[in-house]
Amino acid sequence: MNEKERARRPGGRSARVAAQVHQAVTELISERGYGNFTVGEVAARAGVADSSIYRRWGSLETLLSEVALTRLNTQSPMPDTGTLSGDLRTYAAQVAREITGPDGPAVLHLAIALSGSGERGRQAGESLRAERTRQLQGMLDRARDRGEPALDAFDVLDHILAPMYIRVLFGTELTPEYVDGLVDRML
């Protein structure tokens, strides 16, 4: 196996470094909030050189956006239950669990902070929103293709996700009944 093949192999050192860096970012956001740490502090916590972070991600904002998107994709993947109602209920319940979990509020604050911070931050936040909206629209397109109502991703964001995010940001509990009620009103 030559050097290029080894570098492209999934897993291995590269995957471990990415996981360590992602974990360091999540911990620092939980402890200090967005904007209160540097690439050097992430690198020190992850046990890697800061040049490794710059080489791989280019900027702290790009790294933060990737951390948020990776976490969302891992913790709240787009479901495919076979029905729009099932997909929306499953997705809403996943998001509710994620944003109320131990690191959930920190990741939610990160996504909000990225969208309002400088040009790089806005670009990173826009990239995060665009990718997640694309994934959500794919789930809605499958439902439409099955002959179910044609919903828009922004309607789901406005009527299901936004109320959950607001409740978490203001410290209000998200009950399963509340989350199901959001889906019921949307449908």
Side-chain angles (χ1 to χ4, degrees):
M1 178 184 305
N2 68 34
E3 196 63 34
K4 283 186 179 183
E5 289 171 334
R6 194 173 305 125
R8 291 185 192 152
R9 186 184 70 223
R13 184 178 189 285
S14 181
R16 280 192 310 275
V17 167
Q20 290 169 308
V21 169
H22 282 219
Q23 184 61 39
V25 166
T26 302
E27 290 170 2
L28 287 165
I29 291 168
S30 293
E31 293 168 13
R32 302 183 192 174
Y34 173 76
N36 297 315
F37 56 88
T38 65
V39 167
E41 291 170 309
V42 172
R45 172 113 14 146
V48 301
D50 56 353
S51 60
S52 295
I53 293 175
Y54 283 115
R55 187 172 41 257
R56 183 168 184 160
W57 288 281
S59 71
L60 181 59
E61 291 82 4
T62 301
L63 169 60
L64 295 174
S65 178
E66 181 182 303
V67 167
L69 185 60
T70 299
R71 183 161 183 102
L72 286 171
N73 288 338
T74 301
Q75 301 294 322
S76 301
M78 290 299 155
D80 188 0
T81 66
T83 67
L84 178 58
S85 175
D87 289 352
L88 288 175
R89 287 180 201 291
T90 301
Y91 179 61
Q94 288 172 347
V95 170
R97 275 191 306 278
E98 172 62 15
I99 63 176
T100 59
D103 298 325
V107 174
L108 183 56
H109 281 96
L110 168 61
I112 292 166
L114 278 173
S115 65
S117 65
E119 185 57 30
R120 278 187 174 168
R122 278 192 295 280
Q123 289 173 350
E126 174 62 25
S127 174
L128 172 65
R129 185 200 55 77
E131 176 58 21
R132 200 57 176 167
T133 302
R134 183 193 65 73
Q135 294 171 357
L136 182 57
Q137 191 60 56
M139 179 182 76
L140 298 172
D141 289 346
R142 282 194 311 271
R144 185 196 62 238
D145 292 346
R146 291 189 302 256
E148 296 182 85
L151 300 179
D152 180 75
F154 286 105
D155 287 336
V156 175
L157 292 172
D158 289 342
H159 299 288
I160 296 176
L161 299 181
M164 290 193 300
Y165 294 164
I166 293 296
R167 279 185 168 235
V168 168
L169 289 172
F170 288 106
T172 306
E173 184 180 4
L174 283 182
T175 65
E177 296 78 21
Y178 176 77
V179 173
D180 276 346
L182 292 172
V183 173
D184 289 339
R185 286 188 292 280
M186 179 78 209
L187 294 174

